[in-house]
Amino acid sequence: MSDTMLISSKPSFGAPLLMKWGARALVICAAGVVFTMLCVRESQINGRLATTPNYDDIVYFHNGAILLKSVEAKGFSGIQLFMNERGLHSPFSIFLAATAYGVLGFSDSAPYFANLLVILVYLAFISWFLRSLGFLDWMAALVLFLTPPFVTMGVVEFRPDIAWAVVTAFGVVWIVTSKNVFCRPGGAAAAGLFLALSLVIKPSTFVMTTILYTGAVVSRMCSGVWERRYRTEMR
């Protein structure tokens, strides 16, 4: 057998990992789509979506519609005009509403379907922390983590609170549990990205966001010092 055949018959190191995460990504997307559609449909029949949108959903709907019309009329300069005239209480919710109207059309349900983004991010974070589980155990865990009421609220309520809570919670947990988070530039950049996303999603929570991330950083530093001392004493 030739050397070429021997080389080509060797399995690629990255292929199993790519197949694993590819399959899990498909499951996350399918679960997110089904869950979002079921939540919206059930709420339209028996929940808050059975009536016209109310406060404070309608505030973001209104601003998102105005932003979309401004962009359609004046292009990217319309974003600057919108910000000068109205400001951005929550850039995430306003841009998400504008995107929903632009893609799905002007309907009451369009922004709620766009909350699929929140569910996908939530499931992706869950999957990262549970990545060591086998496939079936991992799928069972995803179903379990879709059962808390706040996850459904993330679909049928259009405000930035749930998205802010998801990003901030996972950012804080990731900082506290990652031993090398500040030992490598990539880890520090990821921590900064979590902080930036939390502030962009809901800038009015600046104080709370700062307190939570500062506490996470201090906790990680204290844990690192204690671990270093413990290893030194064990020697």
Side-chain angles (χ1 to χ4, degrees), residues 15-38:
L17 187 62
L18 183 62
M19 291 178 61
K20 171 186 174 181
W21 283 106
R24 296 194 176 195
L26 290 176
V27 172
I28 289 173
C29 292
V33 169
V34 172
F35 181 81
T36 301
M37 293 181 67
L38 287 175

Side-chain angles (χ1 to χ4, degrees), residues 42-90:
E42 178 63 22
S43 186
Q44 287 175 334
I45 298 173
N46 299 313
R48 68 191 303 267
L49 303 189
T51 62
T52 56
N54 51 38
Y55 190 83
D56 53 5
D57 299 25
I58 197 66
V59 174
Y60 300 113
F61 292 0
H62 184 223
N63 285 329
I66 293 176
L67 174 60
L68 177 61
K69 289 299 183 181
S70 180
V71 171
E72 289 177 345
K74 299 187 178 181
F76 286 105
S77 61
I79 298 176
Q80 183 179 359
L81 178 63
F82 175 87
M83 294 179 64
N84 291 336
E85 293 180 351
R86 306 186 68 87
L88 292 173
H89 174 71
S90 171

Side-chain angles (χ1 to χ4, degrees), residues 1-16:
M1 187 178 294
S2 66
D3 293 341
T4 304
M5 293 180 64
L6 287 172
I7 293 174
S8 62
S9 64
K10 293 181 179 180
S12 173
F13 175 78

Side-chain angles (χ1 to χ4, degrees), residues 100-113:
Y101 288 138
V103 174
L104 302 176
F106 286 96
S107 66
D108 290 345
S109 60
Y112 297 109
F113 282 118

Side-chain angles (χ1 to χ4, degrees), residues 171 174-175 181-182 185-199 213 217:
W174 183 77
I175 291 172
V181 61
F182 296 118
L193 179 61
F194 272 114
L195 173 60
L197 287 175
S198 296
L199 292 174
Y213 278 94
V217 171

